[in-house]
mmCIF file with all atom_site columns, all heavy atoms in Angstrom:
data_model
loop_
_atom_site.group_PDB
_atom_site.id
_atom_site.type_symbol
_atom_site.label_atom_id
_atom_site.label_alt_id
_atom_site.label_comp_id
_atom_site.label_asym_id
_atom_site.label_entity_id
_atom_site.label_seq_id
_atom_site.pdbx_PDB_ins_code
_atom_site.Cartn_x
_atom_site.Cartn_y
_atom_site.Cartn_z
_atom_site.occupancy
_atom_site.B_iso_or_equiv
_atom_site.pdbx_formal_charge
_atom_site.auth_seq_id
_atom_site.auth_comp_id
_atom_site.auth_asym_id
_atom_site.auth_atom_id
_atom_site.pdbx_PDB_model_num
ATOM 1   N N   . LYS F 1 86 ? 1.659  -5.708 15.703 1.00 0.00 ? 86 LYS F N   1
ATOM 2   C CA  . LYS F 1 86 ? 1.465  -4.379 16.282 1.00 0.00 ? 86 LYS F CA  1
ATOM 3   C C   . LYS F 1 86 ? 2.365  -3.303 15.687 1.00 0.00 ? 86 LYS F C   1
ATOM 4   O O   . LYS F 1 86 ? 2.389  -2.170 16.184 1.00 0.00 ? 86 LYS F O   1
ATOM 5   C CB  . LYS F 1 86 ? 1.653  -4.418 17.808 1.00 0.00 ? 86 LYS F CB  1
ATOM 6   C CG  . LYS F 1 86 ? 0.655  -5.294 18.538 1.00 0.00 ? 86 LYS F CG  1
ATOM 7   C CD  . LYS F 1 86 ? 0.814  -5.177 20.051 1.00 0.00 ? 86 LYS F CD  1
ATOM 8   C CE  . LYS F 1 86 ? -0.225 -6.023 20.784 1.00 0.00 ? 86 LYS F CE  1
ATOM 9   N NZ  . LYS F 1 86 ? -0.109 -5.886 22.256 1.00 0.00 ? 86 LYS F NZ  1
ATOM 10  N N   . THR F 1 87 ? 3.110  -3.617 14.625 1.00 0.00 ? 87 THR F N   1
ATOM 11  C CA  . THR F 1 87 ? 4.080  -2.687 14.059 1.00 0.00 ? 87 THR F CA  1
ATOM 12  C C   . THR F 1 87 ? 3.651  -2.248 12.665 1.00 0.00 ? 87 THR F C   1
ATOM 13  O O   . THR F 1 87 ? 3.594  -3.059 11.736 1.00 0.00 ? 87 THR F O   1
ATOM 14  C CB  . THR F 1 87 ? 5.482  -3.325 13.992 1.00 0.00 ? 87 THR F CB  1
ATOM 15  O OG1 . THR F 1 87 ? 5.859  -3.763 15.307 1.00 0.00 ? 87 THR F OG1 1
ATOM 16  C CG2 . THR F 1 87 ? 6.506  -2.316 13.489 1.00 0.00 ? 87 THR F CG2 1
ATOM 17  N N   . PHE F 1 88 ? 3.339  -0.972 12.537 1.00 0.00 ? 88 PHE F N   1
ATOM 18  C CA  . PHE F 1 88 ? 2.882  -0.390 11.287 1.00 0.00 ? 88 PHE F CA  1
ATOM 19  C C   . PHE F 1 88 ? 3.826  0.742  10.877 1.00 0.00 ? 88 PHE F C   1
ATOM 20  O O   . PHE F 1 88 ? 4.395  1.428  11.727 1.00 0.00 ? 88 PHE F O   1
ATOM 21  C CB  . PHE F 1 88 ? 1.479  0.209  11.413 1.00 0.00 ? 88 PHE F CB  1
ATOM 22  C CG  . PHE F 1 88 ? 0.413  -0.713 11.926 1.00 0.00 ? 88 PHE F CG  1
ATOM 23  C CD1 . PHE F 1 88 ? -0.777 -0.185 12.435 1.00 0.00 ? 88 PHE F CD1 1
ATOM 24  C CD2 . PHE F 1 88 ? 0.557  -2.091 11.919 1.00 0.00 ? 88 PHE F CD2 1
ATOM 25  C CE1 . PHE F 1 88 ? -1.787 -1.013 12.911 1.00 0.00 ? 88 PHE F CE1 1
ATOM 26  C CE2 . PHE F 1 88 ? -0.427 -2.933 12.403 1.00 0.00 ? 88 PHE F CE2 1
ATOM 27  C CZ  . PHE F 1 88 ? -1.604 -2.393 12.905 1.00 0.00 ? 88 PHE F CZ  1
ATOM 28  N N   . TYR F 1 89 ? 3.960  0.945  9.568  1.00 0.00 ? 89 TYR F N   1
ATOM 29  C CA  . TYR F 1 89 ? 4.646  2.122  9.030  1.00 0.00 ? 89 TYR F CA  1
ATOM 30  C C   . TYR F 1 89 ? 3.651  2.903  8.184  1.00 0.00 ? 89 TYR F C   1
ATOM 31  O O   . TYR F 1 89 ? 2.768  2.326  7.540  1.00 0.00 ? 89 TYR F O   1
ATOM 32  C CB  . TYR F 1 89 ? 5.834  1.714  8.169  1.00 0.00 ? 89 TYR F CB  1
ATOM 33  C CG  . TYR F 1 89 ? 7.048  1.275  8.949  1.00 0.00 ? 89 TYR F CG  1
ATOM 34  C CD1 . TYR F 1 89 ? 7.149  -0.013 9.451  1.00 0.00 ? 89 TYR F CD1 1
ATOM 35  C CD2 . TYR F 1 89 ? 8.104  2.158  9.186  1.00 0.00 ? 89 TYR F CD2 1
ATOM 36  C CE1 . TYR F 1 89 ? 8.265  -0.425 10.173 1.00 0.00 ? 89 TYR F CE1 1
ATOM 37  C CE2 . TYR F 1 89 ? 9.225  1.750  9.904  1.00 0.00 ? 89 TYR F CE2 1
ATOM 38  C CZ  . TYR F 1 89 ? 9.301  0.458  10.393 1.00 0.00 ? 89 TYR F CZ  1
ATOM 39  O OH  . TYR F 1 89 ? 10.399 0.056  11.108 1.00 0.00 ? 89 TYR F OH  1
ATOM 40  N N   . ALA F 1 90 ? 3.820  4.222  8.164  1.00 0.00 ? 90 ALA F N   1
ATOM 41  C CA  . ALA F 1 90 ? 2.918  5.068  7.387  1.00 0.00 ? 90 ALA F CA  1
ATOM 42  C C   . ALA F 1 90 ? 3.652  6.319  6.934  1.00 0.00 ? 90 ALA F C   1
ATOM 43  O O   . ALA F 1 90 ? 4.776  6.609  7.352  1.00 0.00 ? 90 ALA F O   1
ATOM 44  C CB  . ALA F 1 90 ? 1.669  5.431  8.199  1.00 0.00 ? 90 ALA F CB  1
ATOM 45  N N   . SER F 1 91 ? 2.978  7.068  6.060  1.00 0.00 ? 91 SER F N   1
ATOM 46  C CA  . SER F 1 91 ? 3.491  8.347  5.588  1.00 0.00 ? 91 SER F CA  1
ATOM 47  C C   . SER F 1 91 ? 2.308  9.166  5.116  1.00 0.00 ? 91 SER F C   1
ATOM 48  O O   . SER F 1 91 ? 1.155  8.778  5.316  1.00 0.00 ? 91 SER F O   1
ATOM 49  C CB  . SER F 1 91 ? 4.517  8.136  4.469  1.00 0.00 ? 91 SER F CB  1
ATOM 50  O OG  . SER F 1 91 ? 5.141  9.364  4.123  1.00 0.00 ? 91 SER F OG  1
ATOM 51  N N   . GLY F 1 92 ? 2.580  10.301 4.490  1.00 0.00 ? 92 GLY F N   1
ATOM 52  C CA  . GLY F 1 92 ? 1.499  11.145 4.000  1.00 0.00 ? 92 GLY F CA  1
ATOM 53  C C   . GLY F 1 92 ? 1.581  12.553 4.532  1.00 0.00 ? 92 GLY F C   1
ATOM 54  O O   . GLY F 1 92 ? 2.639  13.191 4.506  1.00 0.00 ? 92 GLY F O   1
ATOM 55  N N   . HIS F 1 93 ? 0.442  13.025 5.070  1.00 0.00 ? 93 HIS F N   1
ATOM 56  C CA  . HIS F 1 93 ? 0.339  14.419 5.487  1.00 0.00 ? 93 HIS F CA  1
ATOM 57  C C   . HIS F 1 93 ? -0.339 14.513 6.860  1.00 0.00 ? 93 HIS F C   1
ATOM 58  O O   . HIS F 1 93 ? -1.235 13.720 7.157  1.00 0.00 ? 93 HIS F O   1
ATOM 59  C CB  . HIS F 1 93 ? -0.489 15.215 4.484  1.00 0.00 ? 93 HIS F CB  1
ATOM 60  C CG  . HIS F 1 93 ? -0.133 14.941 3.063  1.00 0.00 ? 93 HIS F CG  1
ATOM 61  N ND1 . HIS F 1 93 ? 0.991  15.440 2.471  1.00 0.00 ? 93 HIS F ND1 1
ATOM 62  C CD2 . HIS F 1 93 ? -0.749 14.179 2.119  1.00 0.00 ? 93 HIS F CD2 1
ATOM 63  C CE1 . HIS F 1 93 ? 1.063  15.005 1.225  1.00 0.00 ? 93 HIS F CE1 1
ATOM 64  N NE2 . HIS F 1 93 ? 0.020  14.241 0.984  1.00 0.00 ? 93 HIS F NE2 1
ATOM 65  N N   . PRO F 1 94 ? 0.060  15.496 7.677  1.00 0.00 ? 94 PRO F N   1
ATOM 66  C CA  . PRO F 1 94 ? -0.663 15.724 8.934  1.00 0.00 ? 94 PRO F CA  1
ATOM 67  C C   . PRO F 1 94 ? -2.094 16.168 8.650  1.00 0.00 ? 94 PRO F C   1
ATOM 68  O O   . PRO F 1 94 ? -2.444 16.499 7.511  1.00 0.00 ? 94 PRO F O   1
ATOM 69  C CB  . PRO F 1 94 ? 0.133  16.856 9.597  1.00 0.00 ? 94 PRO F CB  1
ATOM 70  C CG  . PRO F 1 94 ? 1.438  16.923 8.880  1.00 0.00 ? 94 PRO F CG  1
ATOM 71  C CD  . PRO F 1 94 ? 1.167  16.441 7.487  1.00 0.00 ? 94 PRO F CD  1
ATOM 72  N N   . ALA F 1 95 ? -2.908 16.166 9.684  1.00 0.00 ? 95 ALA F N   1
ATOM 73  C CA  . ALA F 1 95 ? -4.267 16.690 9.551  1.00 0.00 ? 95 ALA F CA  1
ATOM 74  C C   . ALA F 1 95 ? -4.212 18.154 9.130  1.00 0.00 ? 95 ALA F C   1
ATOM 75  O O   . ALA F 1 95 ? -3.243 18.861 9.401  1.00 0.00 ? 95 ALA F O   1
ATOM 76  C CB  . ALA F 1 95 ? -5.013 16.548 10.871 1.00 0.00 ? 95 ALA F CB  1
ATOM 77  N N   . ALA F 1 96 ? -5.258 18.614 8.451  1.00 0.00 ? 96 ALA F N   1
ATOM 78  C CA  . ALA F 1 96 ? -5.293 19.990 7.946  1.00 0.00 ? 96 ALA F CA  1
ATOM 79  C C   . ALA F 1 96 ? -5.088 21.007 9.065  1.00 0.00 ? 96 ALA F C   1
ATOM 80  O O   . ALA F 1 96 ? -4.381 22.011 8.887  1.00 0.00 ? 96 ALA F O   1
ATOM 81  C CB  . ALA F 1 96 ? -6.619 20.239 7.230  1.00 0.00 ? 96 ALA F CB  1
ATOM 82  N N   . ASP F 1 97 ? -5.685 20.755 10.228 1.00 0.00 ? 97 ASP F N   1
ATOM 83  C CA  . ASP F 1 97 ? -5.529 21.689 11.348 1.00 0.00 ? 97 ASP F CA  1
ATOM 84  C C   . ASP F 1 97 ? -4.085 21.756 11.813 1.00 0.00 ? 97 ASP F C   1
ATOM 85  O O   . ASP F 1 97 ? -3.603 22.818 12.229 1.00 0.00 ? 97 ASP F O   1
ATOM 86  C CB  . ASP F 1 97 ? -6.422 21.269 12.521 1.00 0.00 ? 97 ASP F CB  1
ATOM 87  C CG  . ASP F 1 97 ? -7.897 21.500 12.239 1.00 0.00 ? 97 ASP F CG  1
ATOM 88  O OD1 . ASP F 1 97 ? -8.205 22.225 11.265 1.00 0.00 ? 97 ASP F OD1 1
ATOM 89  O OD2 . ASP F 1 97 ? -8.738 20.948 12.972 1.00 0.00 ? 97 ASP F OD2 1
ATOM 90  N N   . ASP F 1 98 ? -3.372 20.628 11.755 1.00 0.00 ? 98 ASP F N   1
ATOM 91  C CA  . ASP F 1 98 ? -1.975 20.618 12.181 1.00 0.00 ? 98 ASP F CA  1
ATOM 92  C C   . ASP F 1 98 ? -1.095 21.385 11.199 1.00 0.00 ? 98 ASP F C   1
ATOM 93  O O   . ASP F 1 98 ? -0.152 22.073 11.603 1.00 0.00 ? 98 ASP F O   1
ATOM 94  C CB  . ASP F 1 98 ? -1.470 19.177 12.305 1.00 0.00 ? 98 ASP F CB  1
ATOM 95  C CG  . ASP F 1 98 ? -2.153 18.423 13.440 1.00 0.00 ? 98 ASP F CG  1
ATOM 96  O OD1 . ASP F 1 98 ? -2.573 19.078 14.405 1.00 0.00 ? 98 ASP F OD1 1
ATOM 97  O OD2 . ASP F 1 98 ? -2.265 17.185 13.350 1.00 0.00 ? 98 ASP F OD2 1
ATOM 98  N N   . VAL F 1 99 ? -1.398 21.262 9.906  1.00 0.00 ? 99 VAL F N   1
ATOM 99  C CA  . VAL F 1 99 ? -0.639 22.027 8.914  1.00 0.00 ? 99 VAL F CA  1
ATOM 100 C C   . VAL F 1 99 ? -0.882 23.516 9.107  1.00 0.00 ? 99 VAL F C   1
ATOM 101 O O   . VAL F 1 99 ? 0.045  24.332 9.057  1.00 0.00 ? 99 VAL F O   1
ATOM 102 C CB  . VAL F 1 99 ? -1.027 21.598 7.484  1.00 0.00 ? 99 VAL F CB  1
ATOM 103 C CG1 . VAL F 1 99 ? -0.338 22.485 6.453  1.00 0.00 ? 99 VAL F CG1 1
ATOM 104 C CG2 . VAL F 1 99 ? -0.648 20.141 7.253  1.00 0.00 ? 99 VAL F CG2 1
#
Side-chain angles (χ1 to χ4, degrees):
K86 297 186 178 182
T87 304
F88 305 162
Y89 283 82
S91 187
H93 315 284
D97 289 346
D98 293 332
V99 175

